[in-house]
Amino acid sequence: MNPMNHTSSCKGCSDHYKVTEEQINRILSSNLVKNGSCVPDELYERRLGACRECARLLDGTTCMLCGCIVR
């Protein structure tokens, strides 16, 4: 199936799966996310703004094109 034609879920998830704030907070508090590996705040805000304007952002949390969590 072409992901551009599929609008009900993200690339990597089934239609019934929804990412919760609790799950996002757990991921962001893990050792996998280190402050040194993040982009500067200005660039982060610019990227986040582009995601928020995109029609492919599912429930304000998930990119339907790549499956990334958007926070």
Side-chain angles (χ1 to χ4, degrees), residues 1 3 5-11 13-18 56 58-59 64:
M1 178 184 315
N5 294 332
H6 187 61
T7 60
S8 63
S9 67
C10 75
K11 177 180 175 182
C13 300
S14 64
D15 289 342
H16 69 277
Y17 185 79
K18 302 290 181 202
R56 304 296 294 183
L58 177 66
D59 295 331
M64 292 189 296

Side-chain angles (χ1 to χ4, degrees), residues 3-59:
M4 294 302 290
N5 294 332
H6 187 61
T7 60
S8 63
S9 67
C10 75
K11 177 180 175 182
C13 300
S14 64
D15 289 342
H16 69 277
Y17 185 79
K18 302 290 181 202
V19 177
T20 66
E21 278 296 313
E22 180 182 341
Q23 291 168 318
I24 293 171
N25 288 334
R26 187 175 62 239
I27 291 166
L28 292 177
S29 67
S30 75
N31 288 333
L32 297 174
V33 180
K34 304 226 184 265
N35 287 336
S37 65
C38 297
V39 298
D41 289 345
E42 181 181 320
L43 179 55
Y44 170 77
E45 290 300 327
R46 219 171 36 236
R47 289 177 178 177
L48 192 57
C51 291
R52 287 182 178 140
E53 292 177 12
C54 182
R56 304 296 294 183
L57 183 62
L58 177 66
D59 295 331

